[in-house]
Structures are given as C-alpha cells and as structure tokens.
Amino acid sequence: MIIEQIVTSLEDVHPETRLSRHLEKVYLQSDDLLKRVQRVVTDHGRELGISLLQPANLSHGDVLFMDDHNLIVVEVVPEDVLIIRPRSIGEMGDIAHKLGNRHLPAQFEEDRMLVQYDYLVEDLLKHSGIPYTQEKLKVKQPFKPIGHSHG
C-alpha cells in the first residue's frame, strides 16, 4: 500500500469511529517525520510506502489510512530531550544565544525550551546554572535541522 497524503489527525476522528476500527500504528523517530518518502512497517507487520504528494511533515497522531475497518496512525517514539526552563528573559537570551551558536534546533512550548539530548549541552546548562530536566518525550513536531551560512 502506498500512502500519498495524510487523511486527518487522530484527534479529529470521532471517538466512536476510533473504537469501531482496528488500530495499527507506525512507530517513527522524530527525524523520520521530515521524510516525504519512506518505507515503514506497522506494529501488525503491514508494509507501507509513504510518498507524500504535497510537501508536508508527518506529525504524531496523523492518520495515514482509514476505511470502514482499519485505522493506521503515526506514533512518535519518545526521545531523550533536555527541557530548559529559564527563570528570566535574560537567562532565555543567554542560553538561546549559546545554543544558536551551535546551530542546535529547538522547540518552544509555553515557558520551556526543548532540545534533543546532548551531553555537551547538558554540561553547558549545568555550568550556566540554568534550570533543566532530562526526559523521554514524544515531540509533537520534528527537530528541524537549521541551515546556516557565515558568509
């Protein structure tokens, strides 16, 4: 089966509809969410080809296939992240500048900054005295590589 478009989000599927269908999951690392073309296997062993016609990133909860009997959904594998919680705008500016110099992709949710775990970043946070925790999380969106040029 070739998947060419995202049908909907699981959040938008009526609960009754979800319960009446066989649910299969495609487990993806956050990096794989950026790939428009890939071959995957569901948790029930069904092989799928994903070849998205429109440029779009996959997301946790995307429904790849739905009929009267089945639902195939993207499930993001939890990954090791650092959750940074600066106490002030000054700390935020300081750590954002330091991480920006490393061209490290980050995500922002409310009062926290998420970055993929890196022992060097953890060491930087410790030495800078900026509060953080290390956790395994399902990120909602992929960490996108940052293109850069110093020319």
Side-chain angles (χ1 to χ4, degrees), residues 33-89:
L33 297 174
L34 296 169
K35 298 177 183 173
R36 284 185 42 217
V37 177
Q38 58 187 308
R39 184 167 297 287
V40 298
V41 179
T42 71
D43 60 344
H44 292 112
R46 186 188 314 213
E47 282 193 48
L48 304 173
I50 298 175
S51 181
L52 299 177
L53 298 175
Q54 301 295 321
N57 293 330
L58 294 169
S59 297
H60 179 75
D62 279 348
V63 176
L64 301 176
F65 176 80
M66 181 169 62
D67 64 13
D68 292 339
H69 306 287
N70 299 292
L71 264 174
I72 300 176
V73 179
V74 172
E75 178 86 16
V76 176
V77 176
E79 69 178 280
D80 217 1
V81 297
L82 293 169
I83 300 173
I84 305 166
R85 294 185 187 265
R87 294 169 292 233
S88 69
I89 192 72

Side-chain angles (χ1 to χ4, degrees), residues 2-13:
I2 304 293
I3 306 299
E4 295 181 331
Q5 65 184 14
I6 298 163
V7 176
T8 187
S9 172
L10 191 58
E11 290 177 356
D12 297 332
V13 176

Side-chain angles (χ1 to χ4, degrees), residues 107-120:
Q107 296 181 21
F108 298 88
E109 294 179 356
E110 296 170 20
D111 65 341
R112 60 191 200 162
M113 175 186 221
L114 285 77
V115 296
Q116 290 172 306
Y117 179 80
D118 180 298
Y119 73 94
L120 294 172

